[in-house]
Amino acid sequence: MGLRYGGDYNPEQWAEEVWADDIRLMKEAGVNFVTVGVFSWALLEPADGVFEFGWLDRVLDLLHSAGIRVDLATATASPPPWLTTAHPEMLPEDELGITRWPGSRQQYSPTSPAYREHAARLVRRMAERYGSHPALDMWHINNEYGCHTNLDYSDNAAVAFRVWLSNRYGSIEALNAAWGTIFWSQRYSSFEEILPPRIAPNFRNPTQLLDFHRFSSNALLECFLLEKAIVREYSPDIPVTTNFIGAFKPVDYWSWAPHLDVISDDNYADPLDPDSPMKAAFSRDLMRSLGGGKPWLLMEQATSHVQWRPTNGRKATGEMQALSLQAVARGADGINFFQWRQSTSGAEKFHSSMVPHSGTDTRIWRSVVELGSQLAALSSVQGAAVPARVALVLDWESWWAIEAGAMPQTLDYLATLETWYKALYELNVPVDFVHPSADLSAYEVVFAPQLYLLPDEIGSRLASYVDGGGTLVLTYFSGIADENDHAHLGGYLGALREVVGVRIEEFAPLPLDNTPHSEVHVSGDRFGDFTGTIWSEFVTAVTAETLAKFSGGDLDGLPAVTKNSFGHGAAWYVATQPEPAAVAAIVDTVLASVGVRPEFAGAGLEAVRRGDALFLINHRSSPAVTTISGTDLLTGRTHAGFTLQPHGVAVVDLAPQAQTTHPSPARDRKVESEVH
Ligand code: GLA
């Protein structure tokens, strides 16, 4: 069916006369895939055990007759008022014990037996009825798990947390050892005494917090698996997905991804954030990586503005298409929106949609139609891979631990990852994300910023990777603790100390107040002089070569950037947060050291190769000129050098047959853009 194109379709919000118009417009825009039923529990089951499927039957039949495939949602993301009234104990509570009441959505405790039982019953009835419907293309389980309700501290959670802990540790003695409860008189005599880490007089036990994150992510996964097992019974061959939300802290998507047949993502790039193309690319690469390189789906995005930021900027003309094609470039086999027709009531009536309040004689509708035809022209990229030789470690457990409080510094793990990702993004070097225990043999270089938790087993795997010829780049606050968040003694870095060839003696975090004291000076021939922020530390180079040194103050002359040869590979260590230009210089030097050079280096243009297609994307508001030649798959036209308008995109055909008939881009692959 080509690349999937469509969005969330909520026909229940409209009179049935409107539906025929919906279908007509969907055909006009090239829509071939819609998500139906996401928030329809109250309509599908208006009273306990009473099901009304007539309207959904008519919707699915109508879509089928128009040849539009359906991603059918299980509708369990917003339990109806009759259910929460009958079972008020199913409502979630925050760490202060405050209830999250009905009246919005996601008003359920993921571990509530009443919620799970009623959700399972609804899903079974839906699967029985629609499991072999000819329009069914995919099952869409729930919606954005954990988006609003992720850490639930209710009594449901307390009961389930105890069960989870007893399965993990086997005995209360093992839990006491892992949690270090000898500290502050926290020793437990039985699992019955354990509570979720509710608000307490002072810092809560860090291992309890870490386990609560692990447990909470898993509790949501259990909900997903419960529903998935039911739909599988009725439609064993229909793929199952649930929509992820980029790098979303509460849910460890590495543990979820193997259970999804198709990875899908919701991405709401902020048009007012100059870094939004980079941040969107980050999410796209993460989604591809979660699926092990398989194509994924952009399940939701906005045609223009959202309604949930304090100020909701609009997308510039062309920006929506540029971001959509960026997703295709980075492995998406479908582009979808929230939502098809803009609601007239409710909390999302000011969220843009495919059919806006103002109708189809609009900038937004024209952009929707244009994207439909662009996607139709790109069917040849469907299924193609996006190969990468560089990896970036994203470790949810380190993220949780680092940001749990009682740490040497207030760190923002995601922001740190983005600083390193950004340098790679700007060089147009493809990046995969990896779990710290992943098989790294495909990668020449692995960046692992702030890999705080380093269990011995993972440390040994990373050591073998370097020993075997890999290049590992670690930053400050890596290898600090084991899986229970107990500190590695003797200079930190655990099983990687010899590999990195340094000892960390003492941390020296910097004020975060933008005063002169918030910066540390670094000098080094390799990268020039630069400033560091956030962190500095007393490092001793044992076997490592010092490439840049702290200058001034107590740290004067101590290593700030080191490189250690180990086995057939090398480990780099960066002891501060370098300013962006220095991050870029370090990244470039590391890549050069292993011969990874950007194939399409360019000044400000995004260039991504997917299969035989080279996507050139100009995210800026001024035109750009390149020396790349070839045929544009979007237009069928051949260019000797592409000029890209603001937010313009070209998809250059690199297929061998195109190369014989047209000037070869392989001969001149520089994206030397000039901005006018
Ligand atoms: C999320 C939800 C949608 C909608 C959009 C609005 O992605 O899944 O139902 O609320 O946000 O941006």
Side-chain angles (χ1 to χ4, degrees), residues 8 38-39 105 143-144 243 266 268 300 306-308 338 348 351:
D8 279 19
V38 181
F39 292 106
R105 60 179 176 181
N143 191 62
E144 292 192 345
N243 40 351
D266 297 351
Y268 289 93
E300 288 182 27
V306 297
Q307 96 305 355
W308 43 262
F338 174 85
E348 295 184 325
H351 191 295

Side-chain angles (χ1 to χ4, degrees), residues 234-277:
Y234 296 89
S235 39
D237 301 325
I238 298 290
V240 175
T241 193
T242 184
N243 40 351
F244 287 167
I245 334 174
F248 179 57
K249 182 179 169 186
V251 183
D252 179 354
Y253 288 147
W254 291 124
S255 63
W256 285 57
H259 302 289
L260 274 66
D261 299 320
V262 178
I263 301 290
S264 64
D265 190 38
D266 297 351
N267 185 279
Y268 289 93
D270 183 355
L272 301 181
D273 177 354
D275 272 334
S276 73

Side-chain angles (χ1 to χ4, degrees), residues 140-158:
H140 181 109
I141 306 289
N142 197 276
N143 191 62
E144 292 192 345
Y145 272 109
C147 168
H148 314 296
T149 301
N150 42 68
L151 296 177
D152 163 43
Y153 298 78
S154 68
D155 288 344
N156 301 300

Side-chain angles (χ1 to χ4, degrees), residues 88 102 169 357 409 465 489 546 586 618 641:
Y169 292 109
H357 281 164
Q409 174 64 299
Y465 165 70
L489 301 180
T546 298
I586 294 168
N618 179 14

Side-chain angles (χ1 to χ4, degrees), residues 153 161 179 197 203-214 400 404-405:
Y153 298 78
F161 190 35
W179 284 18
F203 294 114
R204 287 161 273 190
N205 181 304
T207 318
Q208 181 184 6
L209 291 170
L210 179 59
D211 272 347
F212 191 61
H213 270 290
R214 290 171 171 143
W400 296 331

Side-chain angles (χ1 to χ4, degrees), residues 164-442:
W164 185 88
L165 289 168
S166 124
N167 288 336
R168 181 176 174 88
Y169 292 109
S171 72
I172 199 67
E173 291 75 25
L175 176 139
N176 278 313
W179 284 18
T181 57
I182 194 67
F183 181 80
W184 279 356
S185 184
Q186 292 173 351
R187 191 182 160 279
Y188 293 96
S189 316
S190 86
F191 285 100
E192 288 313 299
E193 295 168 1
I194 296 176
L195 291 167
R198 293 174 178 156
I199 200 78
N202 196 349
F203 294 114
R204 287 161 273 190
N205 181 304
T207 318
Q208 181 184 6
L209 291 170
L210 179 59
D211 272 347
F212 191 61
H213 270 290
R214 290 171 171 143
F215 156 78
S216 300
S217 173
N218 192 63
L220 289 165
L221 177 58
E222 285 176 358
C223 293
F224 170 80
L225 292 175
L226 172 74
E227 294 193 22
K228 180 188 168 189
I230 296 169
V231 300
R232 266 283 193 272
E233 280 179 46
Y234 296 89
S235 39
D237 301 325
I238 298 290
V240 175
T241 193
T242 184
N243 40 351
F244 287 167
I245 334 174
F248 179 57
K249 182 179 169 186
V251 183
D252 179 354
Y253 288 147
W254 291 124
S255 63
W256 285 57
H259 302 289
L260 274 66
D261 299 320
V262 178
I263 301 290
S264 64
D265 190 38
D266 297 351
N267 185 279
Y268 289 93
D270 183 355
L272 301 181
D273 177 354
D275 272 334
S276 73
M278 177 278 290
K279 290 178 182 172
F282 183 113
S283 286
R284 325 268 197 232
D285 288 348
L286 175 60
M287 292 305 134
R288 186 188 64 250
S289 305
L290 286 166
K294 277 188 311 191
W296 54 280
L297 284 181
L298 182 62
M299 191 59 92
E300 288 182 27
Q301 64 171 344
T303 50
S304 185
H305 52 275
V306 297
Q307 96 305 355
W308 43 262
R309 294 191 172 101
T311 299
N312 296 294
R314 65 171 179 93
K315 286 183 175 159
T317 300
E319 189 171 355
M320 179 279 278
Q321 295 94 308
L323 286 168
S324 301
L325 296 173
Q326 178 201 58
V328 176
R330 292 174 184 273
D333 267 2
I335 302 294
N336 303 285
F337 296 92
F338 174 85
Q339 62 176 327
W340 167 250
R341 196 181 271 277
Q342 191 169 357
S343 306
T344 55
S345 64
E348 295 184 325
K349 60 181 173 296
F350 295 120
H351 191 295
S352 62
S353 66
M354 299 171 81
V355 182
H357 281 164
S358 310
T360 51
D361 186 10
T362 51
R363 186 183 78 104
I364 287 181
W365 176 251
R366 285 186 281 279
S367 73
V368 165
V369 173
E370 187 190 4
L371 179 61
S373 63
Q374 288 176 316
L375 294 176
L378 291 180
S379 55
S380 64
V381 304
Q382 192 168 7
V386 185
R389 295 165 68 197
V390 175
L392 184 56
V393 175
L394 196 170
D395 180 28
W396 261 268
E397 299 207 347
S398 288
W399 192 354
W400 296 331
I402 283 174
E403 296 182 4
M407 285 284 156
Q409 174 64 299
T410 305
L411 296 172
D412 181 337
Y413 178 72
L414 186 58
T416 304
L417 252 54
E418 282 173 355
T419 62
W420 292 90
Y421 179 84
K422 185 175 179 178
L424 293 157
Y425 170 79
E426 290 186 339
L427 285 169
N428 288 320
V429 169
V431 182
D432 282 345
F433 286 89
V434 289
H435 184 269
S437 68
D439 174 4
L440 301 173
S441 51

